[in-house]
Amino acid sequence: MALTGAMSAGISGLKAHMDALNVVGNNVANVNTQGYKPGRVTFMESIYSTQSAGSAGTATVGGTNPRQTGYGVGIGTIDLDMSSQSLDSTGRGMDCAIQGDGFFLVGDKTHDIDSMDALKGLTLTRVGNFEFRDGYLTDGQGNVVYGFITRSNGDDPGTTPGDKPSTDLVPIRLPMKSTDPNSKGDAVYVGVDNQTGANVYPDNDPAATVDGFVDLENISIDKNGKITGTNKDTGDPVVVGYIALGSVENLNGVLHTEGPYYTAGDAAGDIRVGTPGNSVTGGLRNDKITDGNGVDPDSMLTEGSGATLMTGFLEASGTDLATEFANMIIYQRGYQANTRIVTVTDTMLEELVNMKR
């Protein structure tokens, strides 16, 4: 029956508007969720049935236009609004909000960043509720935060460090605590292999007299991602390292996973890593990463991020209640109108069936 096309169109409208209302419901539910990026729905026409493809004019008659019947509507896209949002004050010195584009990079303690694929295996997040647990900087869900930790000036892991980060992108962890009687309690930083550029950890060196992590107090993070504190045992200042920020080629191409986390899938493109505010002069280089074509790692310079950090804040939810309530009304009325199409079509089909009586 020809009328079933109207029925199909009405049903597709009901489904599409219900999906749109689901997006609105999720946005409203997360109105107070830090770092939440709201979804936005666009509708798309469904398939068409062509009765006539149209024709060109001739010397004697004009042409005809195509005749097509549509079969309803579907969801075209569900986009995320990845723009920066307002900030919620928390009063916690280690909470960080990103001002600008970019993501914190989190993962586990053993993830080795030796390729772009491995780099894209890290998880992205905009929620910077950080603290040190078991010597490692972690977020609220226990994922380890990645960055560039302070290195020693020479081959000896125990030499006095400058404020210089390693070139290796690694989980951020505290320096080790010296047990040497001549320097007991001092911070022992990582060394760097002069040939490979890889970190050399003192806790893995049998010759290093270290035990456990340095006890820090007055820990703070500045706008450039620099983590500092005071050694409780010696009173000396300690620079732990720098928090890294990752940026992707297509910001809206990231895939939302669980909670405040995203992954950089194919649509997002490659990840470029830097420090907030271009804080490290000359940029940083991850010596392990190439583009897979044998390119000299020296050419794989990370890009500094123009974004900076606001400490003592977390990014607020991007939900705009006024917009969501307006969309709720629009989608409700759209749903209601499509129910009328279904009921009217049903009535007409009933009349058609009853013609035999």
Side-chain angles (χ1 to χ4, degrees):
M1 301 179 191
L3 290 174
T4 56
M7 180 73 78
S8 297
I11 292 173
S12 72
L14 293 177
K15 291 181 178 179
H17 282 84
M18 179 55 70
D19 287 342
L21 195 59
N22 288 340
V23 173
V24 169
N26 191 52
N27 289 343
V28 173
N30 287 281
V31 65
N32 291 313
T33 302
Q34 277 80 19
Y36 176 73
K37 301 301 181 183
R40 183 202 65 170
V41 173
T42 62
F43 294 96
M44 179 179 66
E45 298 164 275
S46 190
I47 61 173
Y48 281 85
S49 173
T50 302
Q51 286 79 45
S52 172
S55 63
T58 68
T60 56
V61 297
T64 60
N65 293 327
R67 296 196 306 274
Q68 296 177 291
T69 302
Y71 282 86
V73 66
I75 297 296
T77 62
I78 302 177
D79 305 309
L80 293 177
D81 179 5
M82 299 301 296
S83 60
S84 297
Q85 303 298 329
S86 59
L87 304 181
D88 287 337
S89 176
T90 66
R92 296 183 71 251
M94 293 192 66
D95 283 346
C96 298
I98 301 173
Q99 291 195 295
D101 294 338
F103 300 90
F104 299 112
L105 303 170
V106 299
D108 58 44
K109 297 177 183 179
T110 60
H111 193 75
D112 187 19
I113 311 299
D114 59 358
S115 67
M116 182 56 69
D117 287 341
L119 179 59
K120 295 183 73 170
L122 292 177
T123 302
L124 313 176
T125 182
R126 296 275 298 186
V127 181
N129 51 338
F130 301 144
E131 62 180 293
F132 279 100
R133 297 189 182 98
D134 300 323
Y136 285 82
L137 185 66
T138 64
D139 68 3
Q141 305 303 314
N143 296 295
V144 180
V145 183
Y146 274 66
F148 303 92
I149 55 179
T150 298
R151 53 171 278 187
S152 60
N153 280 334
D155 295 332
D156 179 5
T159 56
T160 303
D163 182 6
K164 183 176 183 180
S166 165
T167 61
D168 207 3
L169 178 66
V170 294
I172 296 177
R173 42 152 282 185
L174 296 172
M176 302 298 292
K177 183 189 296 186
S178 173
T179 59
D180 189 313
N182 298 320
S183 58
K184 190 172 182 179
D186 282 353
V188 181
Y189 299 83
V190 301
V192 176
D193 188 302
N194 290 331
Q195 293 184 340
T196 66
N199 287 343
V200 179
Y201 291 94
D203 48 325
N204 295 331
D205 182 359
T209 53
V210 294
D211 182 26
F213 296 105
V214 167
D215 294 322
L216 285 190
E217 58 186 356
N218 303 322
I219 302 174
S220 64
I221 303 173
D222 70 12
K223 67 177 183 179
N224 296 320
K226 181 179 178 181
I227 308 169
T228 57
T230 303
N231 188 335
K232 288 184 180 180
D233 294 325
T234 65
D236 295 329
V238 173
V239 179
V240 177
Y242 290 80
I243 294 175
L245 291 183
S247 59
V248 294
E249 296 169 357
N250 176 17
L251 189 59
N252 291 320
V254 295
L255 181 65
H256 201 169
T257 57
E258 183 181 11
Y261 300 114
Y262 304 86
T263 57
D266 292 340
D270 287 342
I271 300 178
R272 303 295 288 180
V273 183
T275 51
N278 301 312
S279 54
V280 179
T281 303
L284 294 167
R285 185 181 76 247
N286 188 339
D287 292 282
K288 294 183 178 181
I289 298 180
T290 70
D291 65 0
N293 296 318
V295 174
D296 183 348
D298 287 348
S299 67
M300 297 297 290
L301 291 175
T302 58
E303 295 176 348
S305 172
T308 57
L309 303 184
M310 279 287 291
T311 55
F313 294 86
L314 293 176
E315 187 175 37
S317 170
T319 297
D320 182 348
L321 284 180
T323 298
E324 300 306 327
F325 286 157
N327 287 337
M328 189 186 305
I329 295 171
I330 293 170
Y331 299 151
Q332 179 188 16
R333 291 306 183 190
Y335 188 92
Q336 185 179 35
N338 279 277
T339 63
R340 297 296 182 266
I341 294 294
V342 174
T343 55
V344 169
T345 304
D346 177 59
T347 301
M348 295 177 71
L349 289 173
E350 182 182 13
E351 293 295 327
L352 181 62
V353 171
N354 290 337
M355 284 179 64
K356 186 178 178 181
R357 296 181 182 177

